[in-house]
Amino acid sequence: MSTGRLYGVGLGPGDPELLTVKAARLIGAADVVAFHAARHGRSVARGIAAPHLREGQIEELLVYPVTTETTDHPGGYQGAIDEFYEAAAARLAAHLDAGRDVVVLAEGDPFFYGSYMHMHKRLAHRYPTEVVPGVTSVSGAAAAVGRPLVERDEVLTVLPGTLGADELAERLARTDSAVVMKLGRTFPQVREAFDRAGVLDRALYVERATTDGQRTMPLAEVDPASVPYFSLALLPSPLTDELPVPDRPADADGPAGEVVVVGLGPGARYWTTPEAADALATAEVLIGYGPYLDRVPANPRQERFPTDNRVEAERAAHALELARSGRRVAVVSSGDPGVFAMAAAVLEVAGRPEFAGVPVRVVPGLTAAQAVASRVGAPLGHDFCVLSLSDVLKPWDVVVDRLRHAAAADLVIALYNPRSKARPHQLGEAKQVLLETRSPDTVVVVGRDVGGPEERLTVTTLGALDPETVDMRCLLIVGSSQTRVGPSGLVWTSRTYPG
């Protein structure tokens, strides 16, 4: 017959709602539930777990022979405790040998000054064992007083109150923040140690954290006669002392805000990088072309300013003005913000004297060219260039001249903004320019709405390309003389160029 399984289950600091879902499930499913208590027989652990106990379960009450009392055991206090743990372990082993699962309840976390660890040391090497962590009293106490324990590279020291006052004082003086456990009768020497270390004025007292009997106050004001065992002394991080934050003067030098130009990638959310997602999440204001902003989940904490696609300079100035006033602003672009997008527009406007010193940061994104290329293989595997067919910001004859030179250089060409309602003829003209030096058999890839719900990919040739099938949601990749289509339909450009 197989043996049972031993579970050390953390219950949290006292509030039954801080019990984990896993802990509750295991308590309810166990054949045997064991818990410790002093001689009075009342178990704090059982009280926390009570809502999850069921009828028919075996309960093993493990009563300490001694807590703060004296003992006539020949081995003294430690001898009495060791003998108790051995006997308790034998009782649980009998259940485990019979194939019954045993849950040992532990206040807080089983491995954090918990009694369960004594069962673990005696049984875990003999039986299948699992430890379920719990919220510690330290975490509960910090939450109760609303003070972080440590920040950045600070050091937290956890100390037992049973240490002597001299050693406690020395350790408290050397650490950033601290927790002293096991108060009760040790409280006077613990208070003295805080005083000697010169940190008594910062220290806090927490009793029965997260329970109905919770009590918090400055450590210096505590009556030693009122301190129970379930209490601790807390020295929070000095960086979180409640100091007033001075208002920023209106004429203070340098901006308090920032502009981050963020690339979302070409379509799908999984193409947005973690860095871009973090920049969007930490921003107070989002600014961008309306359809691009719509791709960012709404957050009521943030202001959003959608704009038309042709007001890039005004959009950039608005972002910089908000940042100058102390706001954290994210300017949203599709693809990569540095490729025919908002990064250059923001940096150009940021060069004006009135925006001197406003921090601007650019967070890259996956480009449309990369996304389309990845969908069909590796057409950008060798030298390539990127051109926009839009003549909104540069003359059409410049576009044609650059296109002609790129074609003559036998570069793979990624064409952005290929055809719009305002300039439907230009892609046809660009095709004729390319055919001046390129073969009609040159491979052409047309990617539409790549990463979006209407994604469509077409692999054709330069001669067969129909400009009427292309719109502004498309990106074209015109291959070089070394671009090939394999038997599987995948496209690649050889990394080796004939010499």
Side-chain angles (χ1 to χ4, degrees):
M1 183 174 61
S2 61
T3 65
R5 190 174 186 87
L6 174 67
Y7 295 92
V9 175
L11 303 175
D15 182 351
E17 291 186 318
L18 293 179
L19 193 72
T20 66
V21 173
K22 184 170 187 176
R25 174 176 61 80
L26 291 174
I27 291 168
D31 302 305
V32 181
V33 178
F35 42 87
H36 295 81
R39 286 182 177 179
H40 51 60
R42 298 184 300 275
S43 171
V44 174
R46 189 192 185 284
I48 298 171
H52 307 287
L53 298 175
R54 59 178 172 79
E55 231 178 302
Q57 283 180 304
I58 302 167
E59 294 188 8
E60 286 284 359
L61 173 61
L62 309 176
V63 179
Y64 293 111
V66 60
T67 49
T68 59
E69 309 91 343
T70 58
T71 177
D72 57 0
H73 190 281
Y77 175 87
Q78 193 59 51
I81 287 296
D82 288 342
E83 186 175 283
F84 160 71
Y85 285 137
E86 289 294 336
R91 288 165 58 186
L92 301 186
H95 290 298
L96 294 165
D97 289 336
R100 292 186 281 270
D101 290 343
V102 176
V103 162
V104 180
L105 304 179
E107 297 103 270
D109 181 273
F111 281 166
F112 192 76
Y113 290 120
S115 296
Y116 163 76
M117 68 181 68
H118 300 288
M119 298 296 98
H120 189 86
K121 288 187 287 187
R122 290 166 171 80
L123 299 172
H125 63 288
R126 297 165 51 191
Y127 304 97
T129 302
E130 182 176 355
V131 177
V132 179
V135 178
T136 68
S137 58
V138 174
S139 300
V145 296
R147 296 290 296 279
L149 292 169
V150 278
E151 183 178 339
R152 297 202 296 267
D153 55 354
E154 289 182 313
V155 174
L156 169 67
T157 302
V158 180
L159 301 163
T162 50
L163 291 177
D166 291 341
E167 185 173 357
L168 277 174
E170 182 181 348
R171 290 175 179 266
L172 288 169
R174 292 202 312 261
T175 191
D176 300 305
S177 59
V179 176
V180 181
M181 315 281 294
K182 304 181 180 182
L183 297 189
R185 294 191 309 162
T186 69
F187 181 81
Q189 70 185 38
V190 170
R191 186 190 185 285
E192 179 185 351
F194 275 85
D195 196 17
R196 285 193 204 171
V199 293
L200 182 61
D201 58 331
R202 284 176 43 216
L204 301 172
Y205 170 83
V206 183
E207 176 180 315
R208 297 187 172 93
T210 78
T211 71
D212 291 340
Q214 175 179 295
R215 187 168 65 123
T216 65
M217 66 178 67
L219 189 70
E221 298 177 10
V222 177
D223 176 6
S226 69
V227 177
Y229 179 79
F230 290 105
S231 58
L232 57 80
L234 183 66
L235 184 67
S237 161
L239 296 180
T240 64
D241 287 344
E242 295 177 348
L243 300 174
V245 179
D247 293 333
R248 178 180 172 81
D251 59 349
D253 293 333
E258 178 188 39
V259 173
V260 184
V261 193
V262 181
L264 299 177
R269 285 192 67 183
Y270 52 76
W271 276 340
T272 299
T273 68
E275 183 185 13
D278 179 67
L280 294 169
T282 56
E284 299 170 303
V285 182
L286 302 180
I287 295 177
Y289 176 43
Y292 298 159
L293 274 186
D294 290 342
R295 289 172 49 192
V296 181
N299 186 326
R301 173 180 58 79
Q302 298 172 321
E303 287 188 86
R304 298 164 76 97
F305 293 96
T307 60
D308 183 77
N309 200 30
R310 291 175 175 263
V311 291
E312 293 181 342
E314 294 88 337
R315 190 187 306 155
H318 185 199
L320 290 160
E321 287 165 1
L322 289 170
R324 186 173 57 182
S325 70
R327 311 293 296 280
R328 294 178 59 84
V329 184
V331 177
V332 178
S333 279
S334 182
D336 183 283
V339 179
F340 302 125
M342 282 301 299
V346 171
L347 291 172
E348 186 174 0
V349 177
R352 298 176 187 172
E354 65 266 33
F355 298 124
V358 176
V360 177
R361 193 159 50 93
V362 179
V363 175
L366 184 69
T367 69
Q370 292 170 302
V372 172
S374 71
R375 287 295 205 234
V376 296
L380 305 181
H382 197 50
D383 296 342
F384 68 94
C385 71
V386 177
L387 289 173
S388 170
L389 293 188
S390 172
D391 61 352
V392 173
L393 299 176
K394 62 181 182 291
W396 177 244
D397 59 352
V398 172
V399 176
V400 170
D401 185 58
R402 291 177 176 177
L403 192 60
R404 184 171 283 122
H405 281 82
D410 200 24
L411 295 170
V412 176
I413 307 170
L415 294 176
Y416 281 68
N417 307 313
R419 185 172 180 270
S420 69
K421 292 179 181 179
R423 43 185 178 79
H425 61 285
Q426 292 175 342
L427 180 58
E429 293 181 25
K431 173 180 173 179
Q432 295 308 312
V433 170
L434 292 168
L435 284 170
E436 292 173 6
T437 53
R438 293 290 179 90
S439 165
D441 295 329
T442 300
V443 178
V444 174
V445 178
V446 181
R448 186 179 191 279
D449 192 34
V450 172
E454 299 178 17
E455 178 177 310
R456 187 175 71 243
L457 289 153
T458 303
V459 179
T460 183
T461 63
L462 185 58
L465 174 66
D466 181 4
E468 295 294 324
T469 64
V470 175
D471 61 20
M472 282 290 284
R473 298 180 70 185
C474 294
L475 179 133
L476 276 65
I477 297 178
V478 180
S480 72
S481 63
Q482 303 304 306
T483 303
R484 302 286 184 266
V485 181
S488 64
L490 292 177
V491 179
W492 80 96
T493 299
S494 174
R495 295 183 300 159
T496 303
Y497 200 84

